[in-house]
Amino acid sequence: MAAVVQWTGREAALLGKATRLPIRVYAEKLGVDPKTVTRWRKQGSTLKVQPETAEILDRFKATCDPEVLEVFYASLGNSAVVEGEVGSSPALGPASVVSHKFIPVYIGDAVSLISGDPCQDGPAKLGHRAASALHPDSESTSQLHLYDCGVAIFHLVQRRKVETLGDLAVWRYRSYLTDLGWADGRIRELLAAVAGQRGELKPPTYVLSAYLLEDSPWQGTNLDTAMQLLTTPSVLVDRQRPEETVRLGDDVERALFSDGFEHSDVVDFSSQAIALGLAGWSGVAYHPLSPERALPMENIVALELDVQALWCLSSYVLDEIEEGRDPVMPKEFGWRFLRGALTRLTAARPQETAQHQLMREAVLTTSRLPDRLRTAQEVLRDADM
């Protein structure tokens, strides 16, 4: 295993990939601009690293764990890892994707009036039930998860065969608005049926997505780029008029593939030769390379359900305070409840695999849920709740 590295953009980019750090974090650790890391990825071995930067890279490499160095040195002999398809005309599709959408809404005590079957607890150990929720799309499967803490979450599963990732992005944003309206109407119908007319109900305002990429034409760098685009679909569309979102076109998508797109805020939780996984603000993208060893998608879904339930609950608390009102909620779901849920989400488990731990940490980092829960805890503690 070589100890001395002749640093070009390619080697510098490969070291970052081996650490699985987002561009922004890798750049911070090196003390360089994130745009420099992006140039390393785009220009590869044609970019000669300055001597002072090479020294920084040598020092950083010396601090890396043996597992990271093993991946790094192995990738040095694989020219396709960074540069393989750059300058080619990569395929844009087709691809088979299973889309998971999560649409939460806070309904408070009324959640207990809606019937459902008990569910196995997720990682945060939040008691909840589930009931079927008929969606207008006959090819969709949907459930309504009813959390004891007052949150209802619609979970939609929709299989898509798309010619390009831009087509998938357009579908996501257009169906986003439709599904928000459907979820709002459905929860109001249910509440009217079990509780009669009730006070004003805030509508759901957010849809989180998680994509399971099943089949695709991509390999190497193109597959990495495809996963990035699944996690950050906004770069493929024009959303000036949300109800009429349009795809930017083949030329834009091909350019992103050819240049090797990577978003600085996306967190990588891939496992070498097992699965590719990315988490971002818009959700998760996951692609098993070795299905028998990869995480079941059910693990990602279980975590996202609990994360969205706690995000929705904490949003209710903070919104009420911002509007000059005290939150109205049972004391058993006050600050101690939030503290316990956060501890369960962030603490490592003895039986947890490395894949599962990486996935959990990536989702919590990109959702920014821990900071939000801590703020909500302080508010409720001050209000003696």
Side-chain angles (χ1 to χ4, degrees):
M1 186 176 290
V4 178
V5 173
Q6 299 300 315
W7 295 104
T8 70
R10 177 175 182 271
E11 288 75 25
L14 285 174
L15 182 59
K17 275 185 166 291
T19 65
R20 290 198 294 258
L21 294 172
I23 286 178
R24 175 177 49 79
V25 178
Y26 181 44
E28 286 176 358
K29 288 184 176 295
L30 295 176
V32 302
D33 192 294
K35 292 180 181 178
T36 299
V37 181
T38 301
R39 284 198 301 273
W40 290 341
R41 287 178 171 270
K42 288 184 178 181
Q43 298 181 34
S45 57
T46 64
L47 188 152
K48 304 304 179 184
V49 172
Q50 295 296 316
E52 57 270 23
T53 305
E55 290 180 10
I56 292 172
L57 288 163
D58 282 330
R59 289 196 296 272
F60 178 77
K61 180 170 70 70
T63 67
C64 291
D65 293 335
E67 294 81 4
V68 171
L69 293 178
E70 183 178 354
V71 173
F72 171 61
Y73 285 120
S75 64
L76 289 179
N78 181 1
S79 61
V81 172
V82 170
E83 300 175 285
E85 294 92 1
V86 174
S88 64
S89 182
L92 300 183
S96 296
V97 176
V98 180
S99 165
H100 294 260
K101 292 178 182 171
F102 306 92
I103 311 174
V105 56
Y106 183 79
I107 60 176
D109 291 343
V111 75
S112 63
L113 302 175
I114 303 175
S115 60
D117 297 322
C119 293
Q120 182 177 356
D121 286 347
K125 306 297 181 185
L126 308 178
H128 73 291
R129 296 162 290 118
S132 61
L134 186 62
H135 190 270
D137 179 0
S138 60
E139 296 182 358
S140 301
T141 60
S142 53
Q143 277 192 315
L144 176 61
H145 291 260
L146 302 156
Y147 282 80
D148 297 344
C149 60
V151 175
I153 301 178
F154 291 94
H155 173 211
L156 279 63
V157 183
Q158 298 159 303
R159 188 175 296 274
R160 306 293 298 178
K161 181 81 171 181
V162 294
E163 293 303 314
T164 71
L165 291 179
D167 293 335
L168 181 66
V170 168
W171 170 80
R172 180 193 189 279
Y173 286 112
R174 290 188 178 182
S175 63
Y176 181 114
L177 297 176
T178 303
D179 289 332
L180 279 175
W182 165 76
D184 184 41
R186 188 73 188 106
I187 199 68
R188 290 178 187 276
E189 289 174 5
L190 287 170
L191 291 176
V194 298
Q197 296 297 322
R198 61 191 301 272
E200 182 178 345
L201 177 69
K202 289 187 177 181
T205 58
Y206 184 70
V207 180
L208 182 93
S209 293
Y211 290 129
L212 173 65
L213 178 62
E214 291 189 318
D215 299 307
S216 78
W218 306 298
Q219 295 180 351
T221 302
N222 284 339
L223 181 55
D224 291 340
T225 298
M227 294 293 290
Q228 288 278 338
L229 295 175
L230 280 172
T231 315
T232 53
S234 60
V235 300
L236 296 171
V237 297
D238 181 348
R239 291 192 294 156
Q240 291 188 28
R241 301 178 64 184
E243 69 282 359
E244 297 180 8
T245 298
V246 295
R247 178 171 171 255
L248 292 177
D250 284 2
D251 55 340
V252 172
E253 196 161 338
R254 287 192 191 281
L256 290 168
F257 272 108
S258 295
D259 291 343
F261 172 76
E262 183 170 353
H263 195 284
S264 60
D265 290 328
V266 168
V267 177
D268 192 331
F269 63 91
S270 301
S271 300
Q272 186 75 9
I274 296 177
L276 299 179
L278 298 174
W281 178 251
S282 296
V284 168
Y286 194 64
H287 177 57
L289 300 172
S290 177
E292 67 279 3
R293 299 166 61 200
L295 283 174
M297 194 65 186
E298 290 78 8
N299 290 164
I300 296 174
V301 168
L303 177 63
E304 289 289 12
L305 281 168
D306 279 5
V307 165
Q308 291 305 299
L310 291 168
W311 179 271
C312 187
L313 178 60
S314 58
S315 292
Y316 163 72
V317 171
L318 298 178
D319 288 348
E320 289 296 287
I321 294 298
E322 287 181 10
E323 294 174 12
R325 299 188 294 265
D326 288 332
V328 179
M329 55 200 303
K331 202 159 188 175
E332 62 263 33
F333 300 120
W335 70 268
R336 290 182 177 85
F337 171 79
L338 296 183
R339 181 183 63 181
L342 179 59
T343 298
R344 290 188 289 273
L345 280 179
T346 54
R349 299 168 181 79
Q351 304 301 320
E352 189 175 47
T353 66
Q355 288 183 76
H356 205 148
Q357 182 177 350
L358 287 171
M359 181 271 293
R360 177 171 51 80
E361 292 173 352
V363 169
L364 291 177
T365 297
T366 53
S367 69
R368 306 187 186 104
L369 177 66
D371 288 343
R372 194 170 187 83
L373 283 181
R374 292 186 187 99
T375 302
Q377 284 178 56
E378 294 173 4
V379 167
L380 291 175
R381 188 181 302 166
D382 290 344
D384 193 28
M385 297 184 68

